[in-house]
């Protein structure tokens, strides 16, 4: 019985550690995701989840060097693992391969490990991402 419980606990632990993260629901306005600029903290990613056809499409938006950038929470190389990134002390870290780089280098990445860029636009104090762009990348999630 003890062995069974240990195996069960181990399986649950591994499943919990490898599960795709979920974040707050992406704020939607018509055909776009609309993130209020005043809610963004410089150099700190704001993670969101958009639900589409049973999938959690994760992405993040951040202010870097006076610009607003957005990326899928998916590594160009590691996306099949569906683990995304985490933010820690000024760095973005791939949850799958543990590659770490500063937020100021987010557009460059390292090797084939870099977040996939999401194009957005600024309007009326909001950063807009077309929902169709997120839905078009659903296969990465």
């Amino acid at each position: 019985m003890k062995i069974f419980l240990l195996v069960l606990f181990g399986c649950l632990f591994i499943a919990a550690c490898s599960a795709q993260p979920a974040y707050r629901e992406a704020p939607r306005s018509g055909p776009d995701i609309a993130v209020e600029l005043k809610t963004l903290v410089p150099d700190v990613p704001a993670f969101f989840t958009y639900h589409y056809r049973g999938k959690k499409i994760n992405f993040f938006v951040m202010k870097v060097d006076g610009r607003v950038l957005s990326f899928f929470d998916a590594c160009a190389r590691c996306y099949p693992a569906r683990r995304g990134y985490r933010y820690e002390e000024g760095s973005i870290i791939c949850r799958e391969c543990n590659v770490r780089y500063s937020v100021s280098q987010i557009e460059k990445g390292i090797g084939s490990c870099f977040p996939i860029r999401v194009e957005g636009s600024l309007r009326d104090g909001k950063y807009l991402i077309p929902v169709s762009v997120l839905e078009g990348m659903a296969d990465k999630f």
Side-chain angles (χ1 to χ4, degrees):
M1 182 64 164
K2 287 182 182 182
I3 293 174
F4 172 76
L5 290 175
L6 285 173
V7 170
L8 178 63
F9 177 74
C11 290
L12 291 174
F13 179 77
I14 290 170
C17 290
S18 64
Q20 178 187 12
Y23 305 103
R24 64 184 167 189
E25 185 68 28
R28 188 164 178 176
S29 178
D32 299 313
I33 299 301
V35 177
E36 295 280 345
L37 294 178
K38 64 184 177 187
T39 65
L40 298 176
V41 176
D43 299 328
V44 177
F47 288 88
F48 299 95
T49 297
Y50 173 70
H51 296 277
Y52 176 68
R53 294 188 178 170
K55 294 186 176 200
K56 294 184 289 188
I57 301 173
N58 295 332
F59 63 98
F60 59 95
V61 178
M62 61 190 303
K63 287 182 187 178
V64 178
D65 297 328
R67 299 180 302 145
V68 180
L69 305 171
S70 54
F71 301 88
F72 285 104
D73 188 29
C75 173
R77 179 184 61 188
C78 304
Y79 78 85
R82 294 175 171 75
R83 299 189 66 211
Y85 293 88
R86 71 181 189 276
Y87 171 78
E88 185 178 296
E89 300 175 10
S91 294
I92 299 291
I93 304 157
C94 177
R95 293 176 192 262
E96 181 65 14
C97 65
N98 288 315
V99 168
R100 168 191 297 256
Y101 46 94
S102 73
V103 294
S104 64
Q105 300 295 314
I106 193 163
E107 291 182 283
K108 297 175 185 170
I110 295 176
S112 61
C113 183
F114 57 90
I116 301 165
R117 182 73 191 262
V118 178
E119 292 301 323
S121 61
L122 297 171
R123 188 173 11 139
D124 300 326
K126 295 179 181 174
Y127 185 75
L128 305 174
I129 300 170
V131 168
S132 60
V133 170
L134 299 180
E135 292 173 354
M137 291 292 284
D139 64 322
K140 303 290 186 218
F141 297 90

